[in-house]
Amino acid sequence: MDVKVFDNDTEAGKYAFELIKQGMDNGAKVLGLATGSTPVTMYQAMVNSDVDFSNMTSINLDEYVGMSPDNDQSYRYFMQSHLFDKKPFKETFVPNGLAKDPEEETKRYNKVIADHPIDIQVLGIGRNGHIGFNEPGSPFDAETRKVPLTQNTIDANARFFENKDDVPRYAYSMGIGSIMKSKKILLLAFGENKADAVQKMIEGPVTNDVPASILQKHPDVVVILDKAAASKLSKK
Ligand code: PGA
């Protein structure tokens, strides 16, 4: 894993975007994208640039089950407001939170991923080491599926909701097997509260208890950190 440490998340986000630009210059057509606080500075860099994304396809990692795309807590809404409304893409895929049949929806999404192999996948990491909504214990070979959120993740995401009871209990998430098929992976993490998960991901054993640790086995991962998130790494 290639680890890069920056003074702050603005610089880190700009660097992540530089890698995406390089990838696009070298023919990348499909971006795997993530939501949450972490990728916001990278999306700002994309929006502030003069780069044209209208030939690009995006595939998002996850969506809350039961959440309408118009709901401002949905990941579809997040992506529209942070990126797609400002920088149009050729096509954008996010799981459909309102799908009637979860099995059909996960099949549909797996076909989307199979039909559009991901060139560059952007990831955040949970305090518990999750990637997407692949919580501790998730199988390393899974495809997209409906998953229950752990209490740790519900607590972490409650900050975005008025009431903790409003946080959805299930999500559709791309599986770790699908994530690992991406040609290149950029994992971003900022802040002291990610330092433990980052340390375990990079320096700990590869274990389902820390889903992100599987990234040690991927041939092309760049980990993009601020100083606080890097603070528990033994090698500086
Ligand atoms: P965050 O979430 O970017 O909001 O910290 C990351 C994650 O849980 O994967």
Side-chain angles (χ1 to χ4, degrees):
M1 292 169 127
D2 186 11
V3 181
K4 306 275 188 208
V5 183
F6 293 85
D7 283 340
N8 55 58
D9 61 350
T10 305
E11 293 308 313
K14 282 186 193 160
Y15 179 72
F17 174 47
E18 282 305 315
L19 295 185
I20 288 182
K21 258 201 303 201
Q22 277 174 23
M24 287 169 63
D25 289 344
N26 290 322
K29 287 274 173 258
V30 183
L31 302 180
L33 296 178
T35 54
S37 318
T38 306
V40 167
T41 54
M42 187 191 81
Y43 293 142
Q44 279 164 355
M46 290 168 85
V47 166
N48 292 337
S49 76
D50 54 10
V51 175
D52 176 17
F53 295 93
S54 61
N55 284 321
M56 298 298 291
T57 295
S58 70
I59 305 183
N60 261 77
L61 282 171
D62 44 21
E63 178 61 286
Y64 289 123
V65 169
M67 192 77 90
S68 152
D70 306 330
N71 186 315
D72 62 8
Q73 295 301 338
S74 76
Y75 288 170
R76 165 53 80 179
Y77 188 98
F78 176 102
M79 289 309 301
Q80 290 301 138
S81 55
H82 284 85
L83 185 61
F84 304 144
D85 288 346
K86 297 167 182 155
K87 282 284 185 188
F89 275 52
K90 184 171 88 179
E91 45 185 355
T92 63
F93 297 100
V94 180
N96 175 10
L98 293 184
K100 291 224 165 59
D101 181 342
E103 208 167 312
E104 282 304 313
E105 177 56 11
T106 53
K107 259 197 225 157
R108 179 189 76 85
Y109 214 66
N110 284 326
K111 183 160 182 342
V112 165
I113 298 167
D115 289 347
H116 306 84
I118 297 172
D119 293 302
I120 305 174
Q121 174 68 57
V122 175
L123 298 174
I125 183 172
R127 294 181 307 195
N128 62 3
H130 74 200
I131 44 177
F133 276 124
N134 297 289
E135 302 283 21
S138 297
F140 284 152
D141 58 356
E143 296 192 302
T144 307
R145 66 218 192 289
K146 179 179 167 182
V147 290
L149 309 192
T150 59
Q151 193 58 46
N152 184 305
T153 297
I154 292 168
D155 294 346
N157 290 8
R159 71 188 193 278
F160 297 116
F161 291 81
E162 253 174 52
N163 191 319
K164 194 187 272 190
D165 293 339
D166 296 339
V167 184
R169 272 19 188 190
Y170 290 89
Y172 293 115
S173 181
M174 199 187 282
I176 294 176
S178 312
I179 292 171
M180 288 294 281
K181 285 190 188 138
S182 314
K183 290 197 197 102
K184 185 180 189 77
I185 294 178
L186 311 180
L187 184 140
L188 287 70
F190 307 134
E192 171 69 34
N193 66 359
K194 299 292 174 73
D196 278 321
V198 165
Q199 192 276 332
K200 287 182 188 156
M201 164 179 72
I202 297 174
E203 296 179 346
V206 174
T207 163
N208 299 86
D209 294 341
V210 181
S213 64
I214 189 65
L215 299 177
Q216 292 177 28
K217 304 272 189 206
H218 189 285
D220 188 359
V221 178
V222 186
V223 181
I224 301 170
L225 306 173
D226 68 358
K227 284 186 176 154
S231 60
K232 297 203 171 154
L233 293 174
S234 61
K235 285 178 242 127
K236 299 289 171 198

